[in-house]
Amino acid sequence: MNQQSKHASILLLLAILLLSLNLRPAISAVGPLIQSISQSAGINSVGISLLTTIPVLMMGLGAIYAGRIRQLLGERGGITIGAITIAVACFLRLWGGNAFGLFGSALLVGLGIAIIQALLPGFIKRNFGTRTSSVIALYSTGIVAGAAIGSGAASWMEDHFGWFSALASWSIPAIVAAFVWISASRSSLYEGRSSFSSAGPSVPFWRIPRCWSLLLFFGIGTGAFMLAMAWISPFYIGLGIVKGEAGILLSVLTVIEALTALWLSFTINRFPDRRGLLITSLLLVATGFLLLMMAPLVAPYLTVALLGVGIGILFPLSIIVAMDHLKDPTLAGNFTAFVQGGGFIIASLVPLTAGGLNDVFNDLSYIWALMAIASLSMLVVAVRLSPQSYVQFQKDLLGVQPERLQVT
């Protein structure tokens, strides 16, 4: 690689990182501001949960229609549109002091995030080849780091500028990311707009059991991530911990997530068999939720640390393992879209369920228990995700769509 190509590659990595940093702050900043939002807009727990559920549901729908989005917008242009959409949605929150405005901006934020998440994994595989796993891990690191920054800065921003500005301020980094992306991706490999599906006939992933296993796995991992962002801070405030310390607990959780995902981005290639990491992450997540249920005040920082490490491994790995199954960038992107589409829809129900249970019982112990059980049940899936099983997956896929696998 010559010096010019090296600089271009570094700039492209920077653009991907900046984009990923903008995929969660508009959601994670809501949790620490729940009291102010609820009082100002008159929204109950279910309504507050919708501010997380709506964007996540949009992510799922965006992933399901990733092929159509790629066809209509192209990868480079679509990602640009996604970043600008996030910026506009955040900016509009300056005037979103009622339920209608908040839900509308949540819908728009979700649309922007959905477009980027639908297109970026395939783009990464197209441009980074054998380094795809490391770049996906870096991309995931940016997502959880953005969540950490969003949640950690929310209370401080509210104290100094008000909660409207605390939510709207995230339009600025989104615009910066859009401009860096436009410059960095100019000479990259990307699939452009087309009046026909360049990927050929759609692949019926739904016919293959492994696809559903990975979809459920992604849904549980992402659901744990979204649940922690939305409800850890309000949960501890409800237990009598002051808002500042509850915000710190959420920040500790998300910072540990980000550091763990960053560690994974540097070490992932040392683990061609991902099962050990997956099993470890699921056990840590289950333990964290069980501590929240049974002894939340005994060692709160240990509890959030366990969740942080577990989710920091589980969230990026659930994407990486799906990408591992196929070599062709477009096909892998479509497969990841299928997994993420259904997974995000499952994940969107988790914070909504938490809000409903909290409204009925004024207690989040039930959702902590459900997530612990769900995490432990995923161990059955994790132990079957051996590298050798990818070969069988390709054979199963070849059986339903042979012409699509000639490039893999």
Side-chain angles (χ1 to χ4, degrees):
M1 181 183 292
N2 59 41
Q3 197 69 13
Q4 186 175 1
S5 297
K6 185 177 180 180
H7 288 161
S9 181
I10 291 172
L11 184 61
L12 190 58
L13 283 172
L14 175 62
I16 291 169
L17 181 60
L18 289 175
L19 286 168
S20 65
L21 284 168
N22 283 278
L23 297 182
R24 293 298 180 272
I27 304 172
S28 66
V30 170
L33 306 178
I34 278 180
Q35 286 184 323
S36 299
I37 295 172
S38 181
Q39 291 169 6
S40 297
I43 302 175
N44 62 11
S45 294
V46 171
I48 290 291
S49 295
L50 283 172
L51 297 179
T52 299
T53 294
I54 290 172
V56 179
L57 181 60
M58 290 299 295
M59 294 178 209
L61 295 175
I64 289 171
Y65 293 103
R68 182 62 58 85
I69 292 172
R70 187 184 296 111
Q71 180 183 345
L72 293 175
L73 303 178
E75 287 175 342
R76 183 170 180 253
I79 291 168
T80 304
I81 290 170
I84 293 172
T85 301
I86 293 171
V88 170
C90 291
F91 184 69
L92 290 177
R93 284 180 163 176
L94 281 172
W95 299 277
N98 54 54
F100 178 79
L102 286 168
F103 294 150
S105 64
L107 186 69
L108 203 56
V109 160
L111 177 62
I113 295 171
I115 292 171
I116 293 174
Q117 291 185 166
L119 301 177
L120 201 49
F123 174 89
I124 289 171
K125 194 170 186 73
R126 194 182 312 281
N127 283 271
F128 292 94
T130 57
R131 294 183 292 160
T132 293
S133 295
S134 294
V135 179
I136 288 289
L138 180 66
Y139 160 71
S140 302
T141 299
I143 290 177
V144 294
I149 296 168
S151 60
S155 295
W156 183 89
M157 291 287 291
E158 180 189 20
D159 291 341
H160 287 79
F161 306 105
W163 70 267
F164 292 93
S165 298
L167 292 177
S169 62
W170 295 108
S171 61
I172 298 171
I175 285 292
V176 172
F179 278 111
V180 175
W181 166 257
I182 290 169
S183 174
S185 61
R186 190 174 299 140
S187 59
S188 62
L189 301 174
Y190 57 89
E191 190 169 315
R193 296 173 58 189
S194 61
S195 57
F196 60 92
S197 176
S198 60
S202 61
V203 179
F205 296 118
W206 54 270
R207 293 186 185 178
I208 303 172
R210 169 59 60 90
C211 299
W212 290 101
S213 297
L214 290 169
L215 183 155
L216 184 60
F217 199 93
F218 181 83
I220 297 299
T222 306
F225 182 31
M226 295 299 177
L227 178 65
M229 281 201 305
W231 284 105
I232 287 290
S233 186
F235 173 67
Y236 275 106
I237 291 173
L239 293 177
I241 289 180
V242 296
K243 183 177 74 171
E245 187 176 354
I248 291 172
L249 282 169
L250 180 58
S251 296
V252 168
L253 187 151
T254 49
V255 166
I256 290 175
E257 282 178 1
L259 292 175
T260 303
L262 182 62
W263 167 81
L264 190 68
S265 70
F266 289 112
T267 60
I268 185 63
N269 289 329
R270 299 180 187 175
F271 302 95
D273 188 336
R274 322 289 196 197
R275 287 177 295 178
L277 288 174
L278 288 171
I279 291 168
T280 300
S281 66
L282 288 168
L283 291 174
L284 290 172
V285 169
T287 301
F289 282 126
L290 287 172
L291 286 173
L292 285 176
M293 181 183 67
M294 296 185 295
L297 295 174
V298 172
Y301 286 96
L302 173 62
T303 299
V304 297
L306 290 173
L307 284 171
V309 175
I311 296 171
I313 297 172
L314 183 60
F315 177 68
L317 264 189
S318 61
I319 303 174
I320 291 168
V321 169
M323 296 289 284
D324 283 344
H325 278 70
L326 291 163
K327 298 176 184 177
D328 174 65
T330 299
L331 194 59
N334 289 342
F335 176 53
T336 305
F338 172 85
V339 169
Q340 289 185 317
F344 276 126
I345 290 173
I346 292 171
S348 72
L349 300 175
V350 176
L352 186 63
T353 302
L357 290 172
N358 194 51
D359 278 340
V360 173
F361 300 105
N362 196 30
D363 186 359
L364 288 167
S365 296
Y366 297 98
I367 195 64
W368 305 143
L370 285 173
M371 287 307 297
I373 294 168
S375 300
L376 291 173
S377 69
M378 286 299 98
L379 290 170
V380 178
V381 177
V383 296
R384 300 178 63 187
L385 295 176
S386 67
Q388 293 77 18
S389 69
Y390 304 162
V391 177
Q392 183 60 48
F393 174 80
Q394 300 247 8
K395 290 179 180 178
D396 292 341
L397 198 57
L398 181 65
V400 298
Q401 202 76 20
E403 69 274 16
R404 295 300 315 283
L405 293 180
Q406 293 174 1
V407 293
T408 62

